[in-house]
Structures are given as structure tokens and as C-alpha cells.
């Protein structure tokens, strides 16, 4: 079974700073996907970024980028030039490639961006 | 393009009652997933429907069930409600065109069991 661990329950930074959220996972699979989802107080889960395990290049979406270390089973999210609207719960998630298409989530990190 | 929609937004039930939650996927998406987000338990996978068939279910008792309709919308039914069923129920959908590699979520239904 796959597990996802987010070791930082809460983080807080000032607006415009850069912040990195940590995620580690455990799997025996070689091919899979990793995701970061954002859940603001409105509750809507929003897909932030996706990484395919067979791609060595780290995914980037505007101010959001990941550091994917397959051997270390680490998948951190970096938010550059943080904005007040980035305040949310952030969930790291794992999905096997093919087969049962369920997402396995970490416990989440509550990120607060202060003005 | 409209996103995933869910109804109702909030629901209050009492122990022992039955509830039905509804989900409409993004147009063109054929797979629907249900997740439970309970306080202290995180997000847990409940059910996956694709092309009208149940493809996988999580570690939940049989009183959690559902179905998917020909238009790919889905219902989640919970019978004999228990207090611990109080949670946010999230529905997500995915597209065969993207090899079901991304799931997009609806706003959720908040269920409170008294």
C-alpha cells in the first residue's frame, strides 16, 4: 500500500516570501503520478501541479514548482512570491499509473500568508 | 467549461437515517470518484465509477454505496447513518482523454449527523 507523509502541519510566511512544503511517500511502484492540491477555506480542492514519475524534469506552473527526488521518494512544493490568496490547506497526493485510479493523500499542511 | 458540481451544499441528518449525495462531472469526463474528508482522518477514497460500473472501492462498510448514470453523473448513498459519517464528501471527475491522470474536484457536500 502507498502512504504519503506531510511532516509540516502548519506553516506561516510573509507575503512575497518563498515557501517550501515537504512531502514524502512510500511505494513499490515504478510508474506513478504525484500531485499538489490546494484547499482554501471555500473547501474547493484545486489541482496546483502534477508530476509524472518517469519524467526527470521538475514540473512548474507559474509561481509553483516542485522538487521531485524519485530515489529519495520526496516531492516538495515551492511557492515563489507568495500571495495572500495562497493561504490554504495544501495536500500532497499519490496515484498509481493505470490500475485503480484512486488518490492517496497526505495529512495536509496549513499554509498562512501574512500581509 | 463548467466544473464538477455537487448537491446539496449542506445536509443535516440524524442517526439511522439515509442520505443521497449527487455529483455531476465535468462535461466529457467519464470517471467519477468519491472521497470522504472527516475531521482528524484526512481524505479517504470511497468509490470510483467509470462508464457506469463500480471499478474500485475504499475501506468503507457496505452501507456506503452509489451508482453512475448514463450521463456519467453519480449518486452516493449512505444508509443507517452514524455520527462518525459527519464529514465533507468530495466528488471528483477525470477524462479518458488524459488517461484519467488528473482528478478535478467539486465543492463538496458537508454532511452533519446528529
Amino acid at each position: 500500500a502507498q502512504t504519503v507523509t506531510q511532516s509540516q502541519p502548519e506553516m506561516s510566511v510573509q507575503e512575497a516570501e518563498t515557501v517550501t512544503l515537504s512531502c514524502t511517500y512510500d511505494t513499490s511502484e515504478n510508474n506513478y503520478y504525484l500531485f499538489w492540491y490546494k484547499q482554501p477555506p471555500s473547501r474547493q480542492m484545486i489541482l496546483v501541479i502534477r508530476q509524472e514519475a518517469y519524467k526527470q524534469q521538475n514540473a512548474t506552473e507559474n509561481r509553483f514548482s516542485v522538487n521531485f527526488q524519485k530515489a529519495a521518494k520526496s516531492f516538495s512544493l515551492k511557492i515563489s512570491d507568495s500571495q495572500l490568496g495562497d493561504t490554504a490547506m495544501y495536500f500532497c497526493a499519490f496515484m498509481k499509473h493505470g490500475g485503480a485510479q484512486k488518490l492517496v493523500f497526505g495529512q495536509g499542511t496549513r499554509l498562512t500568508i501574512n500581509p | 467549461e463548467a466544473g464538477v458540481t455537487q448537491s446539496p451544499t449542506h445536509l443535516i441528518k440524524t442517526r439511522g437515517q439515509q442520505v443521497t449525495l449527487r455529483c455531476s462531472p465535468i462535461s466529457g469526463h467519464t470517471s467519477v470518484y468519491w472521497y470522504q474528508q472527516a475531521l482528524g482522518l484526512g481524505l479517504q477514497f470511497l468509490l470510483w465509477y467509470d462508464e457506469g460500473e463500480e471499478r474500485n472501492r475504499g475501506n468503507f462498510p457496505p452501507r456506503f454505496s452509489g451508482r453512475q448514470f448514463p450521463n456519467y453523473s453519480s449518486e452516493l448513498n449512505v444508509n443507517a447513518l452514524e455520527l462518525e459519517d459527519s464529514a465533507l464528501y468530495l466528488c471528483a471527475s477525470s477524462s479518458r482523454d488524459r488517461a484519467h491522470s488528473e482528478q478535478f474536484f467539486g465543492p463538496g457536500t458537508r454532511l452533519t449527523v446528529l
Side-chain angles (χ1 to χ4, degrees), chain A residues 33 35 37 39 42-47 50 91 95 97 99-107, chain B residues 9-10 33 35 37 43 45 48 56 88 90 98-108 110:
Chain A
Y33 300 98
F35 306 87
Y37 280 90
Q39 188 178 38
S42 65
R43 305 178 331 202
Q44 180 96 38
M45 291 280 283
I46 301 165
L47 177 61
R50 180 185 83 149
F91 292 94
M95 184 170 73
H97 188 274
Q101 304 278 347
K102 67 176 183 180
L103 286 164
V104 177
F105 287 90
Q107 307 92 314
Chain B
T9 306
H10 295 89
Y33 314 80
Y35 293 87
Q37 188 175 21
L43 281 144
F45 168 74
W48 169 37
N56 197 11
L88 179 67
L90 293 167
R98 295 276 288 169
H100 299 293
S101 62
E102 295 172 330
Q103 295 181 19
F104 297 92
F105 284 81
R110 172 74 66 189

Side-chain angles (χ1 to χ4, degrees), chain A residues 11-104:
Chain A
M11 295 188 73
S12 178
V13 298
Q14 297 297 121
E15 194 175 7
E17 290 183 345
T18 293
V19 60
T20 299
L21 309 183
S22 301
C23 172
T24 58
Y25 58 95
D26 188 28
T27 184
S28 58
E29 302 286 328
N30 187 52
N31 205 2
Y32 47 87
Y33 300 98
L34 293 164
F35 306 87
W36 280 97
Y37 280 90
K38 166 186 175 180
Q39 188 178 38
S42 65
R43 305 178 331 202
Q44 180 96 38
M45 291 280 283
I46 301 165
L47 177 61
V48 174
I49 201 164
R50 180 185 83 149
Q51 176 77 43
E52 297 174 71
Y54 69 87
K55 289 186 177 179
Q56 293 187 344
Q57 186 173 8
N58 289 323
T60 299
E61 288 287 342
N62 301 312
R63 298 182 296 107
F64 298 88
S65 62
V66 299
N67 183 5
F68 173 49
Q69 302 289 329
K70 190 173 184 179
K73 295 181 182 175
S74 170
F75 183 62
S76 61
L77 175 70
K78 185 172 83 171
I79 306 174
S80 303
D81 185 28
S82 58
Q83 301 174 358
L84 297 179
D86 296 333
T87 293
M89 281 289 288
Y90 286 81
F91 292 94
C92 179
F94 171 100
M95 184 170 73
K96 288 196 298 185
H97 188 274
Q101 304 278 347
K102 67 176 183 180
L103 286 164
V104 177

Side-chain angles (χ1 to χ4, degrees), chain B residues 14-27:
Chain B
T14 56
R15 284 178 59 190
Q17 285 189 311
Q18 178 266 341
V19 68
T20 298
L21 311 181
R22 294 178 175 82
C23 171
S24 291
I26 292 171
S27 177

